[in-house]
Structure formats: C-alpha cells, structure tokens
Amino acid sequence: MKKAFELGFYVTFGAGIAFGISSFTILSELFKVASSFWLVVSICLAGFICMLLSSSIAELASMYPSSPGVRTYLKVALPPRTSLFLVYLYLIFMIMVAGIESYLFALVVRQLFPQLPALAVVITLLVCTVAVNLLGLELPRGVQMFTTTALILSVLFLGVAGAAPHLGNLHWGASVFSGHPLSQISDALGSAVYLFIGFEWVTMMGFSAKSYEHKIPISMPLAILTNIVAYCIFALALATRMPKESITVTAIPQLPYFVQIFGPRGAYVGLALSILAIVSCFNAGVMGGSRLIHALAREGNFPKSWGTISITTGAPIGGVLVLGVLATIASVIIVSFELEEVAAVVGSGIVCCVYAAFVWAVLRLRKTQPNARRTFRSPLPIWLHWILIVALPAAGVGALFGIKGKTIQVLATTIGLVVVSAVTVFWSTKYKSNEAAMRLQANVS
Amino acid sequence: MATTDVSAVHTSSLLASLQDFQNRFNNDTRVKKLIKGWNRFLKVDGTDTGEIYTLTIQDLAVTNIEAGCTLADDDEKVIALQASQEALVRIFTGKYNPAHALIDGALAVFSGERDKVKLEAIAMIIWGM
C-alpha cells in the first residue's frame, strides 16, 4: 500500500507540474500549425522523446539523489560558465511560466467577472502564492495527488464525453497525408515538448535512496504517458466540437469548449479546472523556482540576501520574494503586450536545449566518472543519446518558427533572453569572486 | 566539473563530529527558536563506511545519538542524510556548507522540502555559513 502511494505520488507530481493552464494554450498553438491527426502524432512523438529523455534524467538522479536537479546535473558535468548559463535560462523559463500561467488564469477569471482588470487578478494571484510560500505552508502529498488526479480525470472524462458522439467530424482519411505532414510535425514538435516540461522535478522528491533505483525512473514515463493520453483526448475533443478558427483564436480554448458542452455554466467548469491546474502546476512547480534561486544564492552566484531563510518557519523567504518580484514583472510585460504565445514558444525552445544538455551530461559523466555509483543506468544505446542531443535543440528551434507572423517577436525575445542570461553569468562570476575576496580580506583583518 | 571539496579532515570520527554538533545545537538559543515543535530523527549514513547514526531531536534539543537506525526510511519524521564519511564529518564540524554539499552532489538529503531548508537554517545559525 505504502509502495503504491509512493509511486502514485511521484506519477501525479510529475504529471501535475507539467499540466498547467498554458497546456491548453499550447494545444491551441498546435492547431495553428498542424491538422488534428498530425497534432496528435506530434504530441505522442514529443511525449516519446521526453520518455527517452527521462531515462537519462533518472540516471543523473540516481547519481545525485535529492539534489537540486538542474543545477547539480549541469554543474557536475559541464564547464562552470556553460552550466550556469543553462541554469539561468531555465530559471528565466520558470519566471516566464509564472507570468503565462497567472495571465491565463486572469483570462479565465475575466470570462466570469469581466469587470475585473487582468493585471489586478494576476497580481492578486501572485501575492497570494508568495504569501503562502512565505508562511512556509507546504501542500500535503495527499492534496497534491488529489488535485492532479481530479484535474486529469476531469479532462479525460470531459474530453471523451464531448468527443465520442462527434468522432465523425475528424475526417481522418487518406487526405491526412496531403498538406506536408513532415512540415506540420517539425513545426509542432518543439511546442509539443512544452506540454511535458516539469516532469523531471520529481527527481528532487524521492522519499529514500531506494526510490531512485526503480520508482522514480518508472514514474517519469508513467507521468508523461498519463499526460499524452489526456492531451490527445482533449485535443481530439476540441477538434470534433469546434471549428479550427474558434480554437486558434483564443489562448484558453478549453473555455469555449466547456461552454459548448454545458452552456454558460461551462465557464465555471473552466475556472474549476484552472484552479486545479494552478494548485498542481503553479504552486508546486513554479514556486519551486524560489528554491533554485535560494540554492544559487547560497552557492554565491546571487546576493546573499536572496538566500535568506525565515528563522521561524524555515521558508526560503529571499528566494520566494525575488521570484515573486520577477514573476510579477514578467506578468506585467506579458499582460501589457499579450506575449503569452511568444513566451510559451520561447520557453519551449529554451527547455529543449536544457534537456539536450542533460543527455550530454550523462555521456560526459560516464566518461569522467565511470565508476561513480549509479543505482539506475539509462538503457538507451549511446547513438540514441547523440540523436537526442541533436534532435531536442532542433525541435526547439523548430518551435521558434512555429507561430506564423510572430517570428520576429519570437526571435527578438529569444536573443534578449540569451543576452540576459549571458550577462547574469558574467555578473555572477564577478560577484562570486568579489565576495570571495571580501571574505579573504575579512579573515586577514 | 564536480567541486566536491572533501579534502583531509583532522576530526577524529563521525561520532565525535556528531557529538560536537550536539553540543553546539543544544547550546544555541537561536536554534531553539527555529525548531519549535520540530521533533525529528536525523539518520546519518556514511555511504563508504556503512557507519550509521541516528540523532533524536526532541523538545528543542538533540537528546540522543545512537548507532544504527531502526526506523523506516519513508517515515515522515526521519530525515536521512547520506554522504561519504569524510564529507559528513566536514559538514557536522562546520567545514563544509551543507547547501554547497547538496548542490555539489556530495550529500543526499531525504526529507520534506521544509525539513531540508530547516537543516540548512540550523547550519547557518550554528556556523554562520
């Protein structure tokens, strides 16, 4: 029973972090570049790639169980500046997700309460989340499992119920092979990877060292598989019930879908699902970014104050406040310029590169530390690792060109973020050496 | 490259370092403020030597250090620390920041997220890291 609970927790944690409100936005994006058939193929392919990738991450996790994942894996395997650069890009991605998720939540809320300004909803959500985290309140494991299970079962049930009577609307026949299928897949694949991002955060949650031998390695593909099924069914449900133009015109296609099924009350269903997604994805996943900021500050890469801990609750208040401020700035920018699509696509591109770096880290560590303890070893052949190292960034680049008409905006944002990350690496390195010099001077005097 | 810093340590043994930690822990008033209502078992596991100790934290103090551990690893009251013996000695004598050890991959901590931060806060208070 205990073992089943443990595995269930890992699977729901991984699936829940990946399943946010922005997942529906990405589904809407995918409809812009692919037909329903190739969209489903792209989701399955992206999920399959993430499953392969999860075996590499499981190997890293078995070497460094319970460590702050992305930071440790890249730090031990890659040159210092390269690893820091990728970690900062990952952190920027998390901040952007906070902005996207809160903006989309505001859009859903405004469907019911149009008089509320979007920015006020966004800021209220962020302030509440930051306050909960500052107080050191942690979501119990059981609640985390419940919210994710409720979210995914609801999506599955509502998807099947909506799609089943209208499957004839799909028109899947020989015609699906016309219209450049390869081009559709290449445009959709990188964005589809976004749908699974976050599954790897489970590697920090292991109950014991033994968990990293089988349970965590198994839980990641199971979480991805769960989400593949949920996304595909919901995508098909959208395709059967709504014309393509109605899906792609909105960032929250789930709302018109529910309204079509339930009438005006459907908006409440949309809000309920959004709240479930916020609990499982936003709080556990995005605020996990505060722990990354805390770890980087404790390591000396950020100002010491960013690593402040509350003496009464033990909460990492420095990291939470910094993340809260940065997420608010990201939200304001996203709300003001309606950049949610651009941010999601750029984020997807970034994470594809970070994921490729994980696979590269596995190969480098096998070379540099061949005898290090590994309680799990990725069964993938070496050539497949190399294919992933090439294919993931390629999919990421493909995603950048996926939104027609916004390529300039996407590329400008990507270049801007790369520059910000590089400058932060330079600043961190300088800050770290200054701190070390000051400590040395203090010790001497 | 890995920056695990576990150079030669002059402290006698893991047990001695844990006893030193117990003294500092029990005599620090700021630590007591931090651990109000926080009763835990700290399982310290030297992965290379197989040496295991369990520290009982109860009523604002480390009340007991005993060899071995009879508690289940997935018990929510158990915080399990795993590292090489040398790294553990350095951590419990304040020579190796546990936050750095965790990031370096030299230390594994199995517990709730808040417990991890609390342990780090204790190290910050005791050794000013």
Side-chain angles (χ1 to χ4, degrees), chain B:
Chain B
M1 287 299 109
T3 55
T4 310
D5 176 17
V6 283
S7 54
V9 176
H10 303 294
T11 315
S12 59
S13 70
L14 181 55
L15 181 59
S17 70
L18 293 175
Q19 286 163 340
D20 176 58
F21 172 75
Q22 181 183 25
N23 281 335
R24 288 171 187 270
F25 187 100
N26 290 352
N27 293 318
D28 198 312
T29 48
R30 292 209 310 152
V31 169
K32 292 193 190 307
K33 194 176 165 192
L34 175 70
I35 60 162
K36 242 177 226 172
W38 192 68
N39 298 322
R40 293 287 187 276
F41 298 98
L42 205 59
K43 180 184 170 188
V44 181
D45 181 357
T47 47
D48 51 345
T49 58
E51 215 174 326
I52 296 174
Y53 292 99
T54 306
L55 283 76
T56 307
I57 301 173
Q58 198 167 17
D59 302 330
L60 310 179
V62 175
T63 55
N64 188 33
I65 301 176
E66 62 179 25
C69 183
T70 52
L71 299 154
D73 274 356
D74 55 0
D75 185 328
E76 288 197 14
K77 293 245 174 200
V78 173
I79 301 171
L81 273 69
Q82 283 191 341
S84 70
Q85 172 131 339
E86 207 168 10
L88 286 171
V89 170
R90 290 180 65 83
I91 288 165
F92 281 100
T93 49
K95 293 185 177 96
Y96 192 12
N97 188 328
H100 290 186
L102 197 63
I103 294 168
D104 292 345
L107 170 71
V109 183
F110 304 102
S111 68
E113 207 50 49
R114 287 281 173 263
D115 286 339
K116 278 185 196 171
V117 182
K118 213 136 206 175
L119 278 183
E120 211 190 313
I122 291 168
M124 274 168 95
I125 292 171
I126 294 180
W127 292 293
M129 289 169 149

Side-chain angles (χ1 to χ4, degrees), chain A residues 37-346:
Chain A
F37 180 82
W38 295 112
L39 181 150
V40 168
V41 170
S42 301
I43 291 174
C44 293
L45 199 56
F48 180 66
I49 289 173
C50 288
M51 281 183 184
L52 297 178
L53 168 74
S54 76
S55 76
S56 296
I57 294 175
E59 180 171 331
L60 293 169
S62 81
M63 292 178 78
Y64 307 105
S66 87
S67 64
V70 57
R71 178 65 189 126
T72 299
Y73 305 155
L74 300 182
K75 182 181 182 182
V76 295
L78 306 184
R81 280 169 198 262
T82 312
S83 71
L84 210 51
F85 174 73
L86 290 168
V87 169
Y88 286 159
L89 276 179
Y90 193 83
L91 186 59
I92 290 172
F93 160 75
M94 295 185 85
I95 291 162
M96 288 199 311
V97 172
I100 300 166
E101 287 287 320
S102 49
Y103 172 62
L104 294 172
F105 183 72
L107 283 186
V108 175
V109 171
R110 274 170 53 84
Q111 292 288 316
L112 286 162
F113 309 101
Q115 68 279 19
L116 293 176
L119 204 54
V121 178
V122 166
I123 289 174
T124 307
L125 174 69
L126 284 168
V127 168
C128 290
T129 314
V130 167
V132 165
N133 282 273
L134 285 179
L135 290 171
L137 301 175
E138 213 176 20
L139 204 63
R141 284 169 181 160
V143 176
Q144 176 82 33
M145 285 174 74
F146 171 78
T147 53
T148 304
T149 309
L151 172 70
I152 289 175
L153 286 181
S154 306
V155 167
L156 284 173
F157 176 75
L158 295 171
V160 170
H166 299 87
L167 280 177
N169 293 346
L170 285 176
H171 306 298
W172 284 4
S175 61
V176 296
F177 291 98
S178 59
H180 308 290
L182 272 181
S183 152
Q184 292 186 49
I185 291 176
S186 67
D187 281 350
L189 194 60
S191 298
V193 169
Y194 180 97
L195 296 169
F196 305 97
I197 294 171
F199 71 87
E200 73 278 11
W201 276 74
V202 74
T203 58
M204 289 190 284
M205 310 303 291
F207 290 8
S208 68
K210 261 192 111 50
S211 312
Y212 292 84
E213 293 174 13
H214 302 294
K215 291 194 195 89
I216 284 187
I218 291 171
S219 74
M220 287 189 277
L222 284 179
I224 294 165
L225 188 64
T226 307
N227 284 359
I228 287 178
V229 174
Y231 291 139
C232 286
I233 286 184
F234 200 77
L236 291 179
L238 288 175
T240 55
R241 297 293 294 244
M242 293 163 64
K244 190 177 170 180
E245 297 70 34
S246 307
I247 302 169
T248 54
V249 79
T250 172
I252 42 171
Q254 73 276 27
L255 235 67
Y257 173 78
F258 293 137
V259 169
Q260 203 173 71
I261 293 182
F262 298 106
R265 280 179 303 173
Y268 288 98
V269 178
L271 181 64
L273 282 188
S274 302
I275 291 171
L276 287 175
I278 282 282
V279 170
S280 54
C281 164
F282 192 84
N283 191 51
V286 177
M287 291 317 287
S290 66
R291 289 195 285 276
L292 188 55
I293 292 173
H294 171 81
L296 288 163
R298 296 284 285 135
E299 209 186 359
N301 293 308
F302 286 150
K304 223 175 172 179
S305 57
W306 295 15
T308 306
I309 296 173
S310 160
I311 204 83
T312 44
T313 62
I317 50 175
V320 170
L321 284 173
V322 170
L323 185 79
V325 169
L326 293 175
T328 306
I329 294 169
S331 303
V332 170
I333 294 171
I334 287 170
V335 171
S336 307
F337 301 101
E338 296 189 346
L339 283 175
E340 70 282 357
E341 285 174 345
V342 173
V345 163
V346 172

